Amino acid sequence: MSYFSEIYHGIKTLLTGMGVTGKYFLKSPKGAITQQYPDNRDTLQMFERFRGEVVMPHDENNEHSCTGCQKCEIACPNGSIEIIWDRVVDEETGKKKKIIDKHIYHFGMCTQCGLCIDACPSDAIKWAQNYENSVYDRTKLTRVLNKPGSKVRAGVEE
């Protein structure tokens, strides 16, 4: 007798689930959270904690906070970040100073783990909110984060 009651219970729960699905199918409820992408590209708001890609913010004077300490490069588990730097003699102090030639970010290899951002002592890199990153050529996923001619912001120490 329990065999038939289990079959009855299974059919009853199946029909209950199908009723809920049918209700949503026939009439869109208020407060639906589904967004109609790509129709709403202009109004689409990503969540605050969304991880798009790593960027290096620059101010209006083309200055950034990256000192080239390479902590983000060391923290990255799969080598998505590569910093090419050189040492030059500072005219004011006469000491050698590290300057960044290129801060390269391989977005195609990145797993968006966030270890590089957590490891950065000067908060020079951050998450961006962009989400459209599909390309036909993988070389377009390699980006140089520091802008040409940029320099370290005054007051940022290594």
Coordinates of all heavy atoms in Angstrom, one line a residue, residues 31-93:
G31 N 8.1 42.2 -9.4 CA 9.3 42.0 -8.7 C 10.2 41.0 -9.4 O 11.1 40.4 -8.7
A32 N 10.0 40.6 -10.6 CA 10.9 39.7 -11.3 C 12.3 40.2 -11.4 O 12.4 41.4 -11.7 CB 10.3 39.3 -12.7
I33 N 13.3 39.4 -11.1 CA 14.6 40.0 -11.2 C 15.4 39.6 -12.5 O 16.5 40.0 -12.6 CB 15.4 39.4 -10.0 CG1 15.5 37.9 -10.0 CG2 14.9 40.0 -8.7 CD1 16.4 37.3 -9.0
T34 N 14.7 39.0 -13.4 CA 15.3 38.6 -14.6 C 15.5 39.9 -15.5 O 14.6 40.7 -15.6 CB 14.5 37.6 -15.4 OG1 14.3 36.5 -14.6 CG2 15.2 37.2 -16.7
Q35 N 16.7 40.1 -16.0 CA 16.9 41.3 -16.8 C 17.0 40.9 -18.2 O 17.6 39.9 -18.6 CB 18.2 42.0 -16.3 CG 18.2 42.4 -14.9 CD 19.4 43.3 -14.5 OE1 20.0 43.9 -15.4 NE2 19.6 43.4 -13.2
Q36 N 16.4 41.8 -19.1 CA 16.3 41.5 -20.5 C 17.5 41.9 -21.3 O 17.5 42.9 -22.1 CB 15.0 42.1 -21.1 CG 13.8 41.6 -20.4 CD 13.6 40.1 -20.5 OE1 13.9 39.5 -21.6 NE2 13.2 39.4 -19.5
Y37 N 18.7 41.3 -21.0 CA 19.9 41.7 -21.7 C 19.8 41.0 -23.1 O 19.4 39.9 -23.2 CB 21.1 41.1 -20.9 CG 22.4 41.4 -21.6 CD1 23.0 42.6 -21.5 CD2 23.0 40.4 -22.3 CE1 24.2 42.9 -22.2 CE2 24.2 40.6 -23.0 CZ 24.8 41.9 -22.9 OH 26.0 42.1 -23.5
P38 N 20.2 41.6 -24.2 CA 20.9 42.9 -24.4 C 20.0 44.1 -24.7 O 20.4 45.1 -25.0 CB 21.8 42.6 -25.6 CG 21.0 41.7 -26.4 CD 20.3 40.8 -25.4
D39 N 18.7 43.9 -24.5 CA 17.7 45.0 -24.8 C 17.9 46.1 -23.9 O 17.6 47.3 -24.2 CB 16.3 44.4 -24.8 CG 16.0 43.4 -25.8 OD1 16.8 43.4 -26.8 OD2 15.1 42.5 -25.6
N40 N 18.3 45.9 -22.6 CA 18.4 46.9 -21.6 C 19.9 47.3 -21.4 O 20.2 47.7 -20.2 CB 17.8 46.5 -20.3 CG 18.5 45.3 -19.7 OD1 19.3 44.6 -20.3 ND2 18.2 45.1 -18.4
R41 N 20.7 47.3 -22.3 CA 22.1 47.7 -22.2 C 22.3 49.1 -21.5 O 23.2 49.3 -20.7 CB 22.9 47.7 -23.5 CG 23.6 46.4 -23.8 CD 24.5 46.6 -25.0 NE 25.0 45.3 -25.3 CZ 25.0 44.8 -26.5 NH1 24.5 45.4 -27.5 NH2 25.4 43.6 -26.7
D42 N 21.5 50.0 -21.9 CA 21.7 51.4 -21.4 C 21.3 51.5 -19.9 O 21.9 52.3 -19.2 CB 20.8 52.3 -22.2 CG 21.2 52.3 -23.7 OD1 22.4 52.1 -24.0 OD2 20.3 52.6 -24.5
T43 N 20.4 50.7 -19.4 CA 19.9 50.8 -18.0 C 20.5 49.7 -17.1 O 20.2 49.7 -15.9 CB 18.4 50.8 -18.0 OG1 17.9 49.6 -18.5 CG2 17.8 52.0 -18.8
L44 N 21.2 48.8 -17.7 CA 21.6 47.6 -16.9 C 22.6 48.0 -15.8 O 23.6 48.7 -16.1 CB 22.3 46.6 -17.8 CG 22.8 45.3 -17.1 CD1 21.6 44.5 -16.6 CD2 23.5 44.4 -18.1
Q45 N 22.4 47.7 -14.6 CA 23.2 48.0 -13.5 C 23.8 46.6 -12.9 O 23.0 45.8 -12.5 CB 22.5 48.7 -12.4 CG 22.0 50.1 -12.7 CD 23.2 51.0 -12.9 OE1 24.1 51.0 -12.1 NE2 23.2 51.9 -13.9
M46 N 25.1 46.5 -12.9 CA 25.7 45.3 -12.3 C 25.7 45.5 -10.8 O 25.7 46.6 -10.2 CB 27.1 45.1 -12.8 CG 27.2 44.9 -14.3 SD 26.1 43.5 -14.9 CE 26.9 42.2 -14.1
F47 N 25.8 44.4 -10.1 CA 25.8 44.4 -8.6 C 27.2 45.0 -8.1 O 28.2 44.9 -8.8 CB 25.7 43.0 -8.1 CG 24.4 42.4 -8.5 CD1 24.3 41.4 -9.5 CD2 23.2 42.8 -7.9 CE1 23.1 40.9 -9.9 CE2 22.0 42.2 -8.3 CZ 21.9 41.3 -9.3
E48 N 27.2 45.5 -7.0 CA 28.3 46.2 -6.4 C 29.5 45.3 -6.3 O 30.7 45.7 -6.5 CB 28.0 46.8 -5.1 CG 29.1 47.6 -4.4 CD 28.7 48.2 -3.1 OE1 27.6 48.6 -2.9 OE2 29.6 48.1 -2.2
R49 N 29.3 44.0 -6.0 CA 30.4 43.1 -5.8 C 30.8 42.3 -7.0 O 31.6 41.4 -7.0 CB 30.0 42.1 -4.7 CG 29.9 42.8 -3.3 CD 29.4 41.9 -2.3 NE 30.3 40.7 -2.2 CZ 30.1 39.6 -1.5 NH1 29.1 39.6 -0.7 NH2 30.9 38.6 -1.5
F50 N 30.3 42.7 -8.2 CA 30.6 42.1 -9.4 C 32.0 42.2 -9.8 O 32.6 43.3 -9.7 CB 29.7 42.6 -10.6 CG 30.0 42.1 -11.9 CD1 29.6 40.8 -12.2 CD2 30.7 42.8 -12.9 CE1 29.9 40.2 -13.5 CE2 30.9 42.3 -14.1 CZ 30.6 41.0 -14.4
R51 N 32.7 41.2 -10.3 CA 34.1 41.2 -10.7 C 34.1 41.1 -12.2 O 33.9 40.1 -12.8 CB 34.8 40.0 -10.1 CG 34.9 40.1 -8.6 CD 35.6 38.9 -8.0 NE 35.8 39.0 -6.6 CZ 36.5 38.2 -5.9 NH1 37.0 37.1 -6.4 NH2 36.6 38.3 -4.6
G52 N 34.4 42.2 -12.8 CA 34.6 42.2 -14.3 C 36.0 41.9 -14.7 O 36.3 40.8 -15.1
E53 N 36.8 42.9 -14.6 CA 38.2 42.7 -14.9 C 39.0 43.7 -14.1 O 38.5 44.6 -13.5 CB 38.5 43.0 -16.4 CG 38.4 44.4 -16.8 CD 38.8 44.7 -18.2 OE1 40.0 44.4 -18.6 OE2 38.0 45.2 -19.0
V54 N 40.3 43.4 -14.0 CA 41.2 44.3 -13.2 C 41.6 45.5 -14.0 O 42.0 45.4 -15.1 CB 42.5 43.5 -12.8 CG1 43.4 44.3 -12.0 CG2 42.1 42.3 -11.9
V55 N 41.5 46.7 -13.3 CA 41.9 48.0 -13.9 C 42.8 48.7 -13.0 O 42.8 48.5 -11.8 CB 40.7 48.8 -14.3 CG1 39.9 48.2 -15.4 CG2 39.8 49.1 -13.1
M56 N 43.5 49.7 -13.5 CA 44.4 50.5 -12.7 C 43.9 52.0 -12.9 O 44.1 52.6 -13.9 CB 45.8 50.4 -13.2 CG 46.8 51.3 -12.3 SD 48.5 51.3 -13.0 CE 48.9 49.6 -12.7
P57 N 43.2 52.5 -11.9 CA 42.6 53.9 -12.0 C 43.8 54.9 -12.1 O 44.7 54.8 -11.4 CB 41.8 54.1 -10.8 CG 41.7 52.7 -10.2 CD 42.8 51.9 -10.6
H58 N 43.6 55.9 -13.0 CA 44.5 57.0 -13.1 C 43.7 58.3 -12.8 O 42.5 58.4 -13.1 CB 45.0 57.1 -14.5 CG 46.0 56.0 -14.8 ND1 45.7 54.7 -14.9 CD2 47.4 56.1 -15.1 CE1 46.8 54.0 -15.2 NE2 47.8 54.8 -15.4
D59 N 44.4 59.3 -12.3 CA 43.7 60.6 -12.0 C 43.8 61.5 -13.2 O 44.3 61.1 -14.3 CB 44.2 61.2 -10.7 CG 45.7 61.6 -10.8 OD1 46.3 61.5 -11.9 OD2 46.2 62.0 -9.8
E60 N 43.3 62.7 -13.1 CA 43.4 63.6 -14.2 C 44.8 64.0 -14.7 O 45.0 64.5 -15.8 CB 42.5 64.9 -13.9 CG 43.0 65.7 -12.7 CD 42.6 65.2 -11.4 OE1 41.8 64.3 -11.3 OE2 43.1 65.7 -10.4
N61 N 45.8 63.8 -13.8 CA 47.2 64.1 -14.1 C 47.9 62.9 -14.7 O 49.1 63.0 -14.8 CB 47.9 64.7 -12.9 CG 47.3 66.0 -12.4 OD1 46.8 66.8 -13.2 ND2 47.3 66.2 -11.1
N62 N 47.2 61.9 -15.0 CA 47.8 60.6 -15.5 C 48.7 60.0 -14.5 O 49.8 59.5 -14.9 CB 48.5 60.8 -16.9 CG 48.6 59.5 -17.6 OD1 48.0 58.5 -17.3 ND2 49.5 59.5 -18.6
E63 N 48.3 60.0 -13.3 CA 49.1 59.4 -12.2 C 48.3 58.3 -11.6 O 47.1 58.3 -11.5 CB 49.4 60.5 -11.1 CG 50.2 61.6 -11.6 CD 50.5 62.7 -10.5 OE1 49.7 62.8 -9.6 OE2 51.5 63.4 -10.6
H64 N 49.1 57.3 -11.1 CA 48.5 56.1 -10.5 C 49.2 55.8 -9.2 O 50.1 56.5 -8.8 CB 48.5 54.9 -11.5 CG 49.9 54.6 -11.9 ND1 50.9 53.9 -11.2 CD2 50.5 54.9 -13.1 CE1 52.0 53.8 -11.9 NE2 51.8 54.4 -13.0
S65 N 48.7 54.8 -8.5 CA 49.3 54.4 -7.2 C 50.2 53.2 -7.2 O 50.7 52.8 -6.2 CB 48.1 54.1 -6.2 OG 47.3 55.2 -6.0
C66 N 50.4 52.6 -8.4 CA 51.3 51.4 -8.5 C 52.7 51.8 -8.3 O 53.3 52.6 -9.1 CB 51.0 50.7 -9.8 SG 51.9 49.1 -9.9
T67 N 53.4 51.1 -7.4 CA 54.8 51.4 -7.1 C 55.7 50.3 -7.8 O 56.9 50.4 -7.8 CB 55.1 51.4 -5.6 OG1 54.8 50.1 -5.1 CG2 54.4 52.5 -4.9
G68 N 55.1 49.3 -8.4 CA 55.8 48.2 -9.0 C 56.4 47.2 -8.0 O 57.4 46.6 -8.3
C69 N 55.8 47.1 -6.9 CA 56.3 46.2 -5.8 C 56.2 44.7 -6.2 O 56.8 43.9 -5.6 CB 55.6 46.4 -4.5 SG 53.9 46.0 -4.5
Q70 N 55.4 44.4 -7.2 CA 55.2 43.1 -7.7 C 54.5 42.1 -6.8 O 54.5 40.9 -7.0 CB 56.5 42.4 -8.2 CG 57.1 43.2 -9.3 CD 58.5 42.5 -9.7 OE1 59.4 42.5 -8.9 NE2 58.5 42.1 -10.9
K71 N 53.8 42.6 -5.8 CA 53.1 41.7 -4.9 C 51.8 41.1 -5.5 O 51.5 40.0 -5.3 CB 52.6 42.5 -3.6 CG 53.8 42.8 -2.7 CD 53.4 43.5 -1.4 CE 54.7 43.8 -0.6 NZ 54.4 44.5 0.6
C72 N 51.2 41.9 -6.4 CA 50.1 41.3 -7.2 C 50.5 40.2 -8.1 O 49.9 39.2 -8.3 CB 49.4 42.4 -7.9 SG 50.4 43.3 -9.1
E73 N 51.7 40.4 -8.7 CA 52.2 39.4 -9.7 C 52.6 38.1 -8.9 O 52.3 37.0 -9.4 CB 53.5 40.0 -10.3 CG 54.1 39.1 -11.4 CD 55.3 39.7 -12.1 OE1 55.8 40.8 -11.7 OE2 55.8 39.1 -13.0
I74 N 53.1 38.3 -7.7 CA 53.5 37.1 -6.9 C 52.2 36.4 -6.4 O 52.2 35.2 -6.3 CB 54.4 37.5 -5.7 CG1 55.7 38.0 -6.3 CG2 54.6 36.4 -4.7 CD1 56.6 38.7 -5.3
A75 N 51.2 37.2 -6.0 CA 50.0 36.6 -5.5 C 49.1 35.9 -6.5 O 48.3 35.0 -6.2 CB 49.2 37.7 -4.8
C76 N 49.3 36.2 -7.8 CA 48.4 35.7 -8.8 C 48.8 34.2 -9.0 O 49.9 33.8 -9.3 CB 48.6 36.4 -10.1 SG 47.5 35.8 -11.4
P77 N 47.8 33.3 -8.8 CA 48.1 31.8 -8.9 C 48.4 31.3 -10.3 O 49.0 30.3 -10.4 CB 46.8 31.2 -8.4 CG 45.7 32.2 -8.6 CD 46.4 33.5 -8.5
N78 N 48.0 32.0 -11.3 CA 48.2 31.5 -12.7 C 49.0 32.5 -13.6 O 49.0 32.3 -14.8 CB 46.9 31.0 -13.3 CG 45.9 32.1 -13.4 OD1 46.1 33.2 -12.8 ND2 44.8 31.9 -14.1
G79 N 49.6 33.5 -13.1 CA 50.4 34.4 -13.9 C 49.7 35.3 -14.8 O 50.2 35.6 -15.9
S80 N 48.5 35.8 -14.4 CA 47.8 36.7 -15.2 C 48.4 38.1 -15.2 O 48.1 38.9 -16.1 CB 46.3 36.8 -14.7 OG 45.7 35.5 -14.8
I81 N 49.2 38.4 -14.2 CA 49.7 39.8 -14.1 C 51.2 39.7 -14.3 O 51.9 38.8 -13.8 CB 49.4 40.4 -12.8 CG1 47.9 40.6 -12.7 CG2 50.2 41.7 -12.6 CD1 47.4 41.2 -11.4
E82 N 51.7 40.6 -15.1 CA 53.2 40.7 -15.4 C 53.6 42.1 -15.4 O 53.0 43.0 -16.0 CB 53.4 40.1 -16.8 CG 54.8 40.1 -17.3 CD 54.9 39.5 -18.7 OE1 53.8 39.1 -19.3 OE2 56.0 39.6 -19.3
I83 N 54.6 42.4 -14.5 CA 55.1 43.8 -14.4 C 56.5 43.9 -15.0 O 57.4 43.2 -14.5 CB 55.0 44.3 -12.9 CG1 53.6 44.2 -12.4 CG2 55.6 45.7 -12.8 CD1 53.5 44.5 -10.9
I84 N 56.6 44.8 -16.0 CA 58.0 45.0 -16.5 C 58.4 46.4 -16.0 O 57.7 47.4 -16.2 CB 57.9 45.0 -18.1 CG1 57.4 43.7 -18.6 CG2 59.2 45.3 -18.7 CD1 57.1 43.6 -20.0
W85 N 59.5 46.4 -15.3 CA 60.0 47.6 -14.6 C 61.5 47.8 -14.9 O 62.2 46.9 -15.4 CB 59.7 47.6 -13.1 CG 60.3 46.4 -12.5 CD1 59.7 45.1 -12.4 CD2 61.5 46.3 -11.8 NE1 60.5 44.3 -11.7 CE2 61.7 45.0 -11.3 CE3 62.5 47.2 -11.5 CZ2 62.8 44.5 -10.6 CZ3 63.6 46.8 -10.8 CH2 63.7 45.5 -10.3
D86 N 62.0 49.0 -14.5 CA 63.4 49.3 -14.6 C 63.7 50.3 -13.5 O 62.9 50.9 -12.9 CB 63.6 50.0 -16.0 CG 65.1 50.0 -16.3 OD1 65.9 49.3 -15.7 OD2 65.4 50.8 -17.3
R87 N 65.0 50.4 -13.2 CA 65.5 51.3 -12.2 C 66.2 52.4 -12.9 O 67.0 52.2 -13.7 CB 66.4 50.6 -11.2 CG 65.7 49.6 -10.3 CD 66.5 49.4 -9.0 NE 66.0 48.4 -8.2 CZ 65.1 48.6 -7.3 NH1 64.7 49.8 -7.0 NH2 64.6 47.6 -6.5
V88 N 65.8 53.7 -12.5 CA 66.5 54.9 -13.0 C 66.9 55.7 -11.9 O 66.4 55.6 -10.7 CB 65.5 55.7 -13.9 CG1 65.1 54.9 -15.2 CG2 64.3 56.1 -13.2
V89 N 67.9 56.6 -12.1 CA 68.4 57.4 -11.1 C 67.5 58.7 -11.0 O 67.3 59.3 -12.0 CB 69.9 57.9 -11.4 CG1 70.4 58.8 -10.4 CG2 70.8 56.6 -11.5
D90 N 67.1 58.9 -9.8 CA 66.2 60.1 -9.5 C 67.1 61.4 -9.5 O 68.1 61.4 -8.8 CB 65.5 59.9 -8.2 CG 64.5 61.0 -7.9 OD1 64.1 61.7 -8.9 OD2 64.0 61.1 -6.8
E91 N 66.7 62.4 -10.2 CA 67.6 63.6 -10.3 C 67.6 64.4 -9.0 O 68.6 65.0 -8.6 CB 67.1 64.6 -11.4 CG 67.2 64.0 -12.8 CD 65.9 63.6 -13.4 OE1 64.9 63.9 -12.9 OE2 66.0 62.8 -14.4
E92 N 66.5 64.3 -8.2 CA 66.5 65.1 -7.0 C 67.3 64.5 -5.9 O 68.1 65.1 -5.2 CB 65.0 65.2 -6.5 CG 64.2 66.0 -7.5 CD 62.7 66.0 -7.0 OE1 62.4 65.4 -5.9 OE2 61.9 66.5 -7.8
T93 N 67.2 63.2 -5.7 CA 67.9 62.5 -4.6 C 69.1 61.8 -5.0 O 70.0 61.5 -4.1 CB 66.9 61.5 -3.9 OG1 66.6 60.5 -4.9 CG2 65.7 62.1 -3.4

